[in-house]
């Protein structure tokens, strides 16, 4: 179970911005640069495409600098719009650093024409290098110069902003692209238009690819994610803004870094001049540099189309039919005009959208007030949707109006039913503002409902602000406790920040069981996440359930029973199953049943401890489907995390990686605490991506959890990082991280090793790092717990870990038998990746026993499983190890032979030393650092009593004595 931010009992339950710590630098751009590098290494061309401001030039510069640092000769040009009418200016820039030496081999006419085009001398009389024979001679001359440069090393030609390249230079590059130049590659960048009507000068998108030699790869630069935009803002000194505001900057800029930077600068200027930060209902300031180009495009439209566009920008969900009813008689034709100019686009279900999210902001800010009010008046009369109508009525009404307030309450309820809590929160606050101050609690209740909707939308600052407004005014205990619950819930994973809230809230609650129940439910989360005690947390949950039952509050009762069952499962208590049954019993509460801290979600966890993966998946998929239709961002993010873990366990790594990334994107957009989502990404990258990306994600998960003082998720983040260190052969670091996991989980009272499966990994890390006795002790304790509870899958993983202990003790025959048995049991339990790990370990042991055929068979079986699962990192590693024939097979030795004295890393290093490899070669072969190799060799010298590499070789090659 996870305590995140939408547990809201109708009062609330959990949210927080959480500090934003980047996990890795713009990982999407890193992958794009890697793809470009890999392609250009073999020659040919790469064309980067994207709209203005997306980061094409930055990416081109980074790639060019990387190639230059690796010894490539880089020729660059970056023309501007004013350069396209200057013949050969691009060629002049490209060859500016080439000097005269490459021209020495040219014929006299070739050199004269080329130097004339480059403005290094007066061109020959009557020559015209842009047409006819002279143009051909010039192009041949350029080809010879580039061939001469490529003869001294690889050559990369870089053309940034190819749309502005002058025509004569473009013709030269087209000529070169069609004729082979050894060692020649081209990196070009092309601005793609924002709208179909945008003029893109030649060479346009149809001819720009022809500038590049074949094979050509076109790589579009995609919009940045919220996290990447936050990193860009930080790097430029813009921010840090609150996560919710960063998400708005990302949305308004459509992921374009330049647009986000300009919006951020305008926001910074406004705040510096004394303006408050805009809340979710207020527009962002748009600078002139962004609004002017957009207004110029709008002003180019016919007057009738401009009026229609203004009306569409005022609507919540504009459609052609709504615009027609609002007085835009020729809406169909005007919409077509705006679509052609790139100012509107058709969406699903007949709605219209804006390709540039700034369009409605700019129109609202620049249109005269009277015109805006006319648009709202027309739309209010035309709308048949309660949300649409209430939006416009609110804009037209000044001061309290009970009829308008009631309409806004209806609109908030409709938005909530549609799964749009952010819209519901905005209408709810407006309803409170339009409610007359008549001494009744109606206005306070509406503010609290709006705050709870804000929690569901992830707008924690908004919710917290409304809660404190209520606390300054409210005297009724029910209102005050409800507001305190919102304050607690807005802390999310960072519950340590609200520890002082509980005493005040309990005082306000008095002896009312209906008010105390939700407080004790939240105190249960606090005791687990901050206090680190599952037993105290269970006591609070049980008390909350009892109080709620007395008060007739079924929602709180169900959530508290679910929390109690989750804690009993963690503690290994037998009553967990019956507690969950009570939570699942009728009467059902729809909110609690679809919540990620509700009994349906927990039911899938019970399936998992019983190794019922298909049943668990069925429960989660149904829940995710429901939440996608109408659920909070937090619930959907958390359920996707659970589904990602489940898909990984089932051996569906690509699906797991997709789910984890979706969860992270949702958390970023909604401003949720990102520790849990980064944890899921770490697991998924480790299985189906790359270990380096997995490690970056695990480190990000750990930082977020530490910043939030979240003791519930911190051990999971440590486990994820420890697994990666273990898989990478960094056994000491892995053992250290996994020990911390064990210490924290044990201190919390974990009694069921199937709930958090770190035990087998810890045993293996300890054994591999030399702490064999400690490893055996940890394994024995976990085995006793798992056997008592009948956890078959956990026992199978512990069998594999026990085989590792046997291997490190030198009992290779027993280890081989243990790995084989563990692989069979893991296969029967339905854990393909864990089974494949056993086959990998078996392959290593069989090789040490001298049975190369059996070793390769084990590796082949592991490879089949990992390949079918899409476990990319594992596939590459196993294939390398299977084909590493030089790892001399150890004979089967008994007694105190030298292999038994060394760890697995030390054995691998010593074997290669005996084969004559240098430390650097050993490091490359084992994917270790040179320092790690040196340290392993030093330990081996000491353990074997050797003083030199020669003595090491003699010990390895000689038949050891007992």
């Amino acid at each position: 179970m996870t305590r995140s931010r939408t547990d809201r009992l109708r009062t609330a339950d959990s949210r927080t911005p959480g500090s934003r710590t980047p996990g890795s630098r713009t990982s999407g751009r890193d992958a794009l640069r890697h793809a470009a590098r890999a392609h250009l290494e073999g020659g040919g061309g790469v064309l980067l495409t994207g709209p203005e401001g997306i980061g094409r030039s930055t990416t081109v510069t980074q790639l060019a600098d990387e190639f230059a640092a690796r010894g490539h000769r880089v020729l660059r040009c970056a023309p501007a719009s004013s350069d396209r009418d200057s013949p050969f200016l691009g060629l002049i820039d490209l060859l500016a650093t080439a000097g005269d030496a490459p021209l020495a081999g040219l014929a006299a006419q070739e050199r004269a024409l080329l130097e004339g085009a480059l403005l290094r001398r007066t061109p020959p009389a009557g020559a015209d290098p842009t047409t006819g024979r002279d143009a051909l001679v010039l192009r041949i001359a350029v080809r010879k110069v580039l061939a001469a440069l490529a003869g001294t090393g690889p050559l990369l030609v870089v053309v940034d902003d190819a749309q502005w390249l002058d025509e004569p230079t473009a013709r030269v590059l087209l000529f070169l692209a069609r004729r082979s130049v050894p060692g020649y590659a081209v990196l070009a960048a092309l601005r793609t238009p924002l709208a179909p009507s945008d003029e893109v000068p030649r060479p346009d998108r149809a001819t720009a690819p022809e500038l590049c030699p074949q094979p050509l790869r076109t790589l579009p630069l995609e919009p940045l994610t919220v996290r990447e935009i936050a990193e860009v803002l930080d790097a430029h000194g813009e921010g840090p803004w609150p996560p919710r505001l960063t998400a708005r900057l990302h949305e308004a800029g459509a992921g374009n870094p330049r647009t986000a930077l300009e919006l951020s600068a305008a926001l910074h200027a406004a705040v510096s001049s004394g303006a408050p930060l805009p809340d979710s209902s207020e527009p962002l300031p748009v600078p002139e540099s962004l609004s002017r180009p957009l207004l110029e495009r709008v002003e180019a439209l016919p007057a009738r189309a401009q009026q229609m566009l203004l009306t569409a920008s005022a609507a919540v969900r504009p459609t052609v039919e709504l615009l027609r009813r609002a007085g835009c008689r020729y809406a169909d034709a005007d919409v077509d005009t705006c679509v052609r100019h790139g100012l509107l686009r058709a969406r699903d279900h007949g709605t219209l959208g804006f390709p540039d999210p700034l369009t409605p902001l700019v129109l609202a800010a620049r249109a005269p007030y009277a015109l805006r009010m006319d648009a709202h008046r027309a739309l209010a009369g035309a709308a048949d949707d309660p949300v649409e109508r209430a939006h416009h009525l609110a804009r037209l009404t000044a001061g309290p109006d009970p009829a308008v307030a009631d309409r806004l309450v209806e609109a908030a309820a409709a938005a909530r039913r549609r799964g749009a809590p952010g819209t519901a929160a905005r209408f709810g606050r407006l309803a409170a503002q339009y409610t007359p101050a008549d001494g009744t609690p109606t206005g306070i209740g509406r503010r609290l409902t709006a705050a709870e909707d804000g929690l569901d939308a992830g707008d924690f600052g908004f919710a917290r602000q409304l809660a404190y407004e209520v606390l300054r005014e409210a005297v009724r205990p029910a209102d005050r406790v409800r507001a305190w619950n919102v304050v607690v819930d807005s802390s999310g994973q960072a519950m340590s920040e609200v520890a002082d809230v509980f005493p005040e809230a309990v005082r306000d609650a008095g002896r009312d069981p209906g008010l105390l129940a939700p407080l004790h439910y939240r105190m249960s989360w606090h005791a687990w996440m901050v206090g680190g005690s599952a037993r105290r947390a269970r006591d609070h949950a049980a008390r909350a359930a009892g109080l709620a039952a007395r008060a007739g509050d079924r929602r709180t009762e169900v959530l508290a029973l679910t929390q109690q069952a989750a804690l009993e499962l963690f503690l290994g208590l037998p009553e967990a199953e019956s507690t969950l049954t009570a939570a699942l019993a009728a009467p059902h509460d729809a909110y609690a049943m679809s919540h990620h801290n509700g009994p349906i979600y927990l039911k899938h966890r019970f399936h998992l401890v019983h190794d019922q993966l298909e049943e668990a998946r069925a429960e989660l998929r149904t829940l995710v489907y429901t939440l996608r239709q109408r659920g909070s961002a937090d619930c959907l993010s958390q359920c996707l995390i659970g589904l990602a873990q489940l898909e990984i366990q089932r051996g569906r790594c690509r699906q797991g990686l997709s789910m984890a990334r979706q969860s992270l994107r949702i958390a970023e957009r909604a401003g949720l605490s990102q520790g849990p989502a980064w944890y899921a990404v770490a697991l998924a990258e480790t299985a189906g991506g790359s270990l380096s990306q997995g490690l970056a994600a695990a480190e990000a998960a750990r930082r977020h959890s530490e910043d939030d003082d979240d003791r519930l998720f911190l051990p999971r983040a440590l486990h994820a990082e420890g697994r990666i260190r273990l898989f990478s052969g960094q056994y000491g670091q892995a053992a250290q991280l996994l020990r911390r996991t064990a210490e924290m989980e044990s201190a919390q009272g974990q009694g069921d090793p199937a709930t958090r499966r770190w035990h087998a990994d810890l045993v293996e890390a300890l054994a591999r790092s030399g702490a064999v006795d400690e490893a055996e002790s940890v394994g024995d304790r976990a085995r006793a717990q798992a056997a008592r509870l009948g956890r078959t899958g956990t026992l199978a993983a512990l069998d594999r870990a026990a085989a590792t202990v046997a291997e490190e003790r030198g009992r290779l025959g027993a280890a081989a038998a243990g790995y084989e048995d563990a692989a069979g049991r893991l296969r029967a339990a339905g854990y393909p990746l864990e089974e494949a790990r056993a086959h990998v370990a078996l392959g290593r042991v069989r090789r040490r026993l001298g049975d190369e055929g059996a070793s390769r068979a084990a590796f082949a079986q592991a490879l089949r499983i990992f390949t079918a699962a899409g476990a990319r990192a594992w596939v590459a590693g196993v294939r390398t190890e299977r084909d590493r024939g030089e790892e001399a097979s150890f004979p089967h030795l008994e007694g105190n032979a030298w292999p038994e004295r060394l760890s697995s890393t030390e054995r691998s290093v010593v074997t290669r030393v005996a084969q004559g490899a240098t430390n650097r070669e050993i490091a490359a072969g084992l994917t270790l650092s040179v320092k790690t190799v040196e340290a392993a060799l030093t330990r081996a010298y000491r353990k074997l009593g050797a003083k030199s590499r020669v003595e090491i070789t003699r010990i390895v090659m000689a038949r050891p004595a007992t």
Side-chain angles (χ1 to χ4, degrees):
M1 296 293 287
T2 61
R3 193 264 186 198
S4 56
R5 12 257 111 147
T6 49
D7 223 0
R8 125 169 111 68
L9 322 176
R10 188 65 257 151
T11 35
D13 207 325
S14 80
R15 320 248 160 346
T16 188
S19 58
R20 185 197 60 75
T21 305
S24 60
R25 291 177 55 254
T26 55
S27 57
R29 295 292 165 87
D30 289 342
L32 181 140
R33 288 198 303 274
H34 176 77
R37 278 195 306 270
H39 186 84
L40 291 170
E41 287 285 2
V46 166
L47 180 65
L48 303 179
T49 63
E52 185 176 3
I54 199 65
R56 296 184 322 277
S57 296
T58 299
T59 304
V60 164
T61 299
Q62 291 171 336
L63 284 167
D65 290 346
E66 289 171 8
F67 275 99
R70 295 161 64 181
H72 284 63
R73 181 70 174 265
V74 179
L75 306 179
R76 312 187 199 194
C77 73
S81 58
S82 58
D83 298 340
R84 55 180 167 163
D85 296 324
S86 301
F88 295 113
L89 186 54
L91 189 62
I92 291 170
D93 289 340
L94 286 172
L95 297 180
T97 61
D100 292 331
L103 281 64
L106 299 178
Q109 184 186 13
E110 293 171 343
R111 182 161 185 167
L113 280 170
L114 179 56
E115 289 185 331
L118 297 177
L119 303 183
R120 296 184 186 180
R121 68 153 68 171
T122 302
D128 183 2
T130 63
T131 62
R133 185 176 183 279
D134 288 343
L136 178 60
V137 172
L138 175 70
R139 294 166 190 173
I140 292 172
V142 174
R143 183 176 183 275
K144 289 181 178 179
V145 169
L146 295 185
L149 292 172
T152 63
L155 178 66
L156 177 66
V157 171
V158 176
V159 183
D160 193 8
D161 277 326
Q163 72 276 358
W164 305 124
L165 194 63
D166 62 273
E167 190 73 13
T169 299
R171 293 301 169 193
V172 172
L173 293 179
L174 289 170
F175 175 85
L176 296 171
R178 297 187 182 114
R179 287 155 185 85
S180 174
V181 179
Y184 169 75
V186 173
L187 170 64
L190 178 71
R191 192 200 77 186
T192 51
L194 290 172
S197 62
D198 283 1
E199 178 189 358
V200 180
R202 296 184 69 82
D204 60 20
R205 287 174 294 168
T207 60
E210 299 178 37
L211 299 175
C212 304
Q214 294 296 323
L216 170 67
R217 183 168 186 184
T218 300
L219 297 172
L221 274 77
E222 301 294 338
L224 298 185
T225 65
V226 176
R227 170 176 50 86
E228 291 166 346
I229 287 292
E231 292 171 2
V232 170
L233 296 177
D234 282 353
H236 288 78
E238 292 289 344
W241 300 110
R244 188 70 179 179
L245 191 51
T246 301
R248 289 190 65 195
L249 291 171
H250 170 268
E251 182 181 8
N256 187 301
R258 184 189 299 174
T259 303
L261 282 167
E262 295 190 42
L263 288 171
S264 180
L267 182 60
H268 187 271
V271 172
S272 298
S273 64
L277 288 176
D279 65 26
S280 57
S281 65
E282 296 172 325
L284 295 170
V286 181
E288 185 75 13
S289 60
L290 295 176
S291 62
R292 175 43 48 195
L294 200 152
L295 285 172
E296 289 173 354
R297 295 169 61 199
V298 173
E299 290 164 359
L301 297 172
R304 193 184 68 199
Q306 290 186 42
Q307 179 59 42
M308 186 280 304
L309 191 65
L310 175 63
T311 305
S313 71
V316 177
R317 296 179 71 249
T319 65
V320 173
E321 178 61 28
L322 175 63
L323 295 172
R324 193 183 297 117
R325 291 201 306 266
C328 302
R329 294 175 56 195
Y330 303 99
D332 292 274
D334 293 335
V335 165
D336 288 343
T337 300
C338 291
V339 168
R340 287 197 305 274
H341 284 75
L343 292 165
L344 278 179
R345 67 166 171 239
R347 286 180 172 170
D348 296 336
H349 310 299
T351 60
L352 301 172
F354 295 91
D356 187 343
L358 293 179
T359 304
L361 293 178
V362 171
L363 291 177
R366 300 304 177 94
Y369 176 80
L371 289 180
R372 295 202 311 272
M373 291 302 103
D374 286 344
H376 285 302
R377 194 172 293 108
L379 288 165
D384 53 11
D385 175 68
V387 173
E388 187 79 52
R389 186 186 307 111
H391 170 76
H392 301 295
L393 287 175
R395 291 290 186 274
L396 294 166
T397 305
D401 186 318
V404 172
D406 290 343
R407 286 285 185 89
L408 288 166
V409 170
E410 293 172 9
R416 196 178 302 118
R417 287 193 299 271
R418 294 172 183 172
T423 303
R426 182 166 61 86
F427 283 133
R429 185 172 70 167
L430 286 172
Q433 292 171 350
Y434 284 103
T435 300
D438 55 5
T440 66
T442 304
I444 286 178
R446 287 174 174 173
R447 265 187 287 178
L448 287 171
T449 300
E452 292 160 358
D453 286 327
L455 292 174
D456 278 347
D459 199 344
F460 314 121
F462 171 91
R464 194 179 300 115
Q465 177 186 353
L466 288 179
Y468 278 118
E469 286 178 9
V470 168
L471 287 168
R472 284 193 292 269
E473 302 174 15
V475 294
R476 290 200 320 155
D479 294 332
R480 293 188 60 80
V481 171
R482 191 175 168 192
W484 285 124
N485 286 334
V486 171
V487 172
V488 172
D489 294 348
S490 67
S491 71
Q493 305 296 118
M495 289 198 78
S496 60
E497 299 174 357
V498 293
D500 58 341
V501 165
F502 291 109
E504 296 188 57
V506 169
R507 279 197 297 272
D508 284 335
R511 297 179 178 276
D512 187 333
L515 300 181
L516 287 170
L519 287 174
H520 277 285
Y521 173 69
R522 287 161 175 78
M523 284 189 275
S524 172
W525 281 108
H526 186 270
W528 197 3
M529 295 179 66
V530 180
S533 172
R535 292 194 178 277
R536 287 200 303 274
R538 176 186 176 274
D539 292 342
H540 279 295
R543 187 173 181 187
L547 289 166
R550 284 170 51 196
D553 179 358
R554 181 58 179 166
R555 175 172 298 179
T556 302
E557 182 186 6
V558 169
L559 289 172
L561 285 170
T562 303
Q563 171 80 334
Q564 181 183 341
L567 290 159
E568 289 168 350
L569 179 66
F570 179 80
L571 292 164
L573 301 179
E575 55 265 41
E577 299 272 0
S578 59
T579 304
L580 177 61
T581 299
L584 288 166
H588 296 149
D589 179 88
Y591 175 86
M593 299 304 281
S594 64
H595 198 278
H596 75 276
N597 282 334
I600 298 295
Y601 183 89
L602 182 60
K603 188 178 178 183
H604 108 272
R605 298 286 302 277
F606 275 73
H607 284 312
L608 286 179
V609 300
H610 293 299
D611 306 315
Q612 298 166 342
L613 272 60
E614 292 304 321
E615 292 86 343
R617 182 171 181 264
E619 297 283 3
L620 264 189
R621 280 172 58 86
T622 302
L623 196 52
V624 166
Y625 177 82
T626 301
L627 292 170
R628 287 194 192 278
Q629 306 307 309
R630 60 177 70 83
S632 72
D634 194 23
C635 280
L636 180 56
S637 176
Q638 293 292 343
C639 287
L640 286 170
I641 289 171
L643 193 54
Q645 293 175 256
L646 183 53
E647 295 291 14
I648 293 165
Q649 289 175 310
R650 296 176 65 243
R652 294 163 55 88
C653 298
R654 284 184 291 272
Q655 291 84 346
L657 188 55
S658 173
M659 297 292 178
R661 288 172 175 169
Q662 287 181 51
S663 172
L664 180 59
R665 285 195 296 270
I666 292 168
E668 289 173 339
R669 285 198 300 266
L672 307 174
S673 294
Q674 294 176 23
W678 276 118
Y679 163 73
V681 171
L683 296 182
E685 286 284 357
T686 304
S690 72
L691 292 184
S692 60
Q693 291 290 342
L695 182 60
E699 290 171 342
R702 174 166 53 83
R703 286 193 299 270
H704 277 285
S705 298
E706 288 173 341
D707 289 345
D708 291 341
D709 194 20
D710 180 357
R711 300 188 188 184
L712 181 57
F713 253 96
L714 178 56
R716 303 188 205 185
L718 293 170
H719 180 203
E721 186 177 350
R723 279 168 57 88
I724 297 168
R725 302 285 186 190
L726 173 63
F727 300 158
S728 302
Q730 301 169 22
Y731 301 127
Q733 289 175 274
Q736 184 178 4
L737 289 163
L738 293 168
R739 275 194 188 103
R740 284 188 63 194
T741 299
E743 290 166 1
M744 295 186 73
E745 299 275 45
S746 299
Q748 290 178 17
Q750 185 187 20
D752 187 343
T755 56
R756 311 276 176 78
R757 305 191 184 200
W758 47 263
H759 306 76
D761 291 326
L762 174 58
V763 171
E764 185 173 341
L766 291 170
R768 298 292 189 198
S769 62
V772 182
D773 291 340
E774 182 184 355
E776 191 166 35
S777 176
V778 169
D780 289 345
R781 286 197 301 273
R783 179 178 295 281
Q785 291 177 325
R788 175 177 62 85
L789 297 167
R791 305 306 190 216
T792 305
T794 303
L795 287 168
L798 289 168
D799 285 344
R800 187 192 59 221
T804 303
V805 172
E807 180 187 350
E808 291 301 317
R809 290 195 186 281
R811 294 164 42 219
L812 301 186
Y819 286 133
E820 283 189 300
D821 180 63
R825 296 185 65 187
L826 287 164
R827 179 170 56 255
Y831 298 102
L833 297 187
E834 298 301 309
E835 176 198 348
R837 284 178 61 187
H839 287 300
V840 171
L842 177 60
R844 292 168 181 160
V845 170
R846 289 297 187 195
R847 180 166 284 166
R848 291 182 61 192
L849 288 167
D851 191 346
E852 186 64 25
S855 172
R856 292 182 67 84
F859 283 133
Q861 179 64 11
L863 199 54
R864 279 192 292 272
I865 296 172
F866 285 135
T867 301
R872 292 190 299 158
W874 281 98
V875 167
V878 173
R879 185 176 288 123
T880 299
E881 188 157 7
R882 180 199 63 185
D883 297 337
R884 190 183 292 154
E886 68 272 15
E887 179 153 7
S889 301
F890 292 108
H892 186 185
L893 303 174
E894 301 295 343
N896 193 26
W898 70 265
E900 281 74 88
R901 304 182 193 178
L902 306 181
S903 70
S904 57
T905 300
E906 293 162 356
R907 285 195 296 269
S908 298
V909 169
V910 163
T911 300
R912 285 163 174 74
V913 167
Q915 294 166 354
T918 66
N919 287 359
R920 190 169 298 279
E921 290 168 342
I922 296 169
L926 295 177
T927 321
L928 300 172
S929 69
V930 174
K931 287 187 177 180
T932 301
V933 171
E934 291 171 349
L937 189 54
T938 299
R939 292 195 300 271
Y941 281 154
R942 184 179 67 252
K943 292 178 180 179
L944 300 179
K947 297 180 180 179
S948 68
R949 299 172 87 90
V950 173
E951 290 189 21
I952 285 284
T953 302
R954 288 174 179 165
I955 292 171
V956 171
M957 301 306 292
R959 187 174 183 83
T962 59

